[in-house]
Amino acid sequence: MPPTQSRLTRTPRPHREAADAVPFPVRVAGAWAWRIVVVAAVLYGLGQVLAYFSELTTALFVALLLVALLVPFVDFLDRHGWPRVVATLVSLLLGIALIVGLFTLVVTQIASGFDDLAASASQGITQLQTWLSNGPLGLSSGQINDYITQARSALQQNSQSLVNGAVAVGGTAATVLTGSFLVLFFTIFLTWDGRRVWSWLVRLLPAPAEAPFDAAMHRGWVTLTSYVRATIIVAAVDAVGIGLGAFILGIPLAVPLAVLVFLGAFVPIVGAVVTGAVAVLVGLVAVGPVKALLMLGVVLLVQQLESHVLQPFLLGKAVSVHPLAVFVAIAAGATLAGIPGVLFAVPIIAVANTVVVYLVRGDAALPKGLVQHFHDDDEGEGEEATSDAERRDADEVAARQAREEGEPPAPGRLDARAGDDGAR
């Protein structure tokens, strides 16, 4: 009969760590959780820093949008023999002249059409009161007068708030002036020598990260330029369509309304709704409800043209962001940063989407239009280099000297430089 094992002679159990008892899915969830917390903390800290330097960061973001708009024209002049500095200054002067011209036109139109608007508004209010009394609402004159009295009382009660708001706007005039100079400063230097600035920034990263990060941000930059160009075209079509409709219907201040629609188009979804409502409201007050309904039809027609024709054709090939993501980004931007957040939300998520998708899955996962734009850009740079042998030789000499001295390289594609170094 074999001896029985006591507790003292029993084979000891193998040593196990406490982590071995945790199921694998729970460990995976924990690993994801602490990484997400770290990323969120870094993003929160970065947001606090940007908020602390809000005047500087807002000016920088505005300048980046302007640079994305101006760089293609500057590059065109540069390829045709213009000095880079001269091309940059000419582009800026043309842009400033266009802005001043639009501002002058709007002010002139408002000054000349104000009397007509006041007279039309008086007639429109009378027609509106008649429609409210005889229309489907069937309001009595006493009810209408009560509503008008309540609105007047509310305006008088909040007059102090309006005055304080006006004072606050006046107090920010110096801030706006300072921000304008910062935008001008950033725009000039980033348009003129942005590639060298970017090369210096990328060289601050670890060497293995330089090439992929540069390639990803290059694609992000193509996304930004495509977004800005498409937004300009869409805004111009919206402004012409709604402004022409207002002019045909006899609505006063058609040109200022067109400019307002143009500016509002830079805020996707929300801007079109708000500026269209302003155009309908002016029509309602100035020319009555019938033409206001016709103006509403014009606004809806133009917005349908924008949503189903222009945006898919112009933006769909280069920017792949779902409308729900656009709406959420605008809402989050408005909550976190107010008007600047609304303006920059969509470009930021468009660029971030392109950069992350490229880093994770490469060019195969990007929109074909974006990849085609990227390759066309590379071919354009190659044609420029081969058509100007002297500039190419000078750039190569400068790049070689910079590498020997340990300085940032001359303007150029870092991923291509990394590939050349690997081949050597």
Side-chain angles (χ1 to χ4, degrees):
M1 182 176 179
T4 59
Q5 290 184 344
S6 66
R7 192 168 56 179
L8 297 177
T9 61
R10 193 174 298 163
T11 303
R13 294 181 180 179
H15 178 70
R16 295 178 62 186
E17 296 289 344
D20 296 336
V22 180
F24 181 73
V26 177
R27 281 187 279 172
V28 172
W32 271 104
W34 74 261
R35 287 172 172 83
I36 291 175
V37 169
V38 171
V39 172
V42 171
L43 292 178
Y44 177 79
L46 180 61
Q48 292 298 313
V49 173
L50 294 179
Y52 184 78
F53 298 101
S54 58
E55 296 181 8
L56 187 64
T57 54
T58 301
L60 180 59
F61 286 152
V62 172
L64 286 175
L65 294 178
L66 294 177
V67 171
L69 179 63
L70 295 176
V71 159
F73 182 66
V74 173
D75 289 341
F76 173 79
L77 296 179
D78 191 17
R79 286 194 298 270
H80 287 76
W82 288 56
R84 187 80 181 180
V85 177
V86 176
T88 300
L89 293 178
V90 168
S91 302
L92 284 174
L93 289 177
L94 289 177
I96 293 173
L98 178 62
I99 294 174
V100 172
L102 285 176
F103 181 77
T104 304
L105 179 62
V106 169
V107 172
T108 303
Q109 290 290 321
I110 292 177
S112 61
F114 184 79
D115 294 336
D116 294 336
L117 177 62
S120 300
S122 178
Q123 297 176 0
I125 291 174
T126 302
Q127 294 177 4
L128 181 60
Q129 290 177 340
T130 302
W131 181 79
L132 291 175
S133 300
N134 303 328
L137 297 179
L139 298 178
S140 64
S141 300
Q143 290 176 318
I144 296 174
N145 292 331
D146 289 340
Y147 290 138
I148 295 175
T149 303
Q150 292 175 7
R152 186 177 301 158
S153 299
L155 183 62
Q156 292 175 352
Q157 291 174 0
N158 293 282
S159 59
Q160 186 62 38
S161 300
L162 296 175
V163 171
N164 293 336
V167 172
V169 170
T172 58
T175 303
V176 171
L177 184 62
T178 303
S180 301
F181 280 112
L182 287 174
V183 169
L184 183 62
F185 179 82
F186 287 145
T187 303
I188 291 175
F189 282 94
L190 291 178
T191 306
W192 167 46
D193 207 18
R195 292 179 180 178
R196 189 180 295 274
V197 174
W198 175 247
S199 298
W200 176 78
L201 290 174
V202 173
R203 287 296 293 268
L204 298 177
L205 298 174
E210 286 184 10
F213 184 74
D214 177 66
M217 292 305 296
H218 193 170
R219 286 154 178 79
W221 179 253
V222 172
T223 297
L224 182 61
T225 55
S226 300
Y227 171 83
V228 172
R229 278 199 299 262
T231 303
I232 289 290
I233 296 174
V234 170
V237 172
D238 288 352
V240 171
I242 294 178
L244 186 60
F247 177 77
I248 293 175
L249 293 174
I251 295 176
L253 304 179
V255 174
L257 287 175
V259 175
L260 180 64
V261 170
F262 179 83
L263 296 176
F266 286 91
V267 182
I269 301 177
V270 178
V273 173
V274 173
T275 55
V278 171
V280 174
L281 182 61
V282 172
L284 178 64
V285 173
V287 294
V290 176
K291 289 189 176 181
L293 289 176
L294 293 176
M295 188 68 229
L296 177 61
V298 172
V299 171
L300 294 177
L301 179 62
V302 170
Q303 291 182 358
Q304 290 300 312
L305 175 65
E306 170 194 338
S307 301
H308 294 90
V309 179
L310 293 178
Q311 286 191 351
F313 179 74
L314 296 174
L315 285 175
K317 294 182 178 180
V319 180
S320 179
V321 179
H322 195 276
L324 179 60
V326 172
F327 185 80
V328 172
I330 292 174
T335 303
L336 296 175
I339 294 178
V342 172
L343 178 62
F344 303 133
V346 178
I348 288 175
I349 65 168
V351 173
N353 176 68
T354 299
V355 171
V356 172
V357 168
Y358 172 77
L359 290 175
V360 175
R361 298 158 65 185
D363 279 335
L366 294 176
K368 294 182 179 179
L370 173 62
V371 178
Q372 183 62 39
H373 280 306
F374 176 73
H375 290 306
D376 291 344
D377 188 35
D378 283 346
E379 291 175 1
E381 290 180 359
E383 292 174 0
E384 177 184 355
T386 54
S387 63
D388 194 348
E390 294 181 356
R391 182 183 300 177
R392 178 197 60 196
D393 295 339
D395 287 343
E396 290 179 353
V397 172
R400 185 159 53 261
Q401 291 177 351
R403 284 195 296 270
E404 292 174 354
E405 298 174 0
E407 297 178 355
R413 300 257 321 128
L414 287 179
D415 49 355
R417 177 179 59 79
D420 296 340
D421 293 341
R424 288 194 294 269

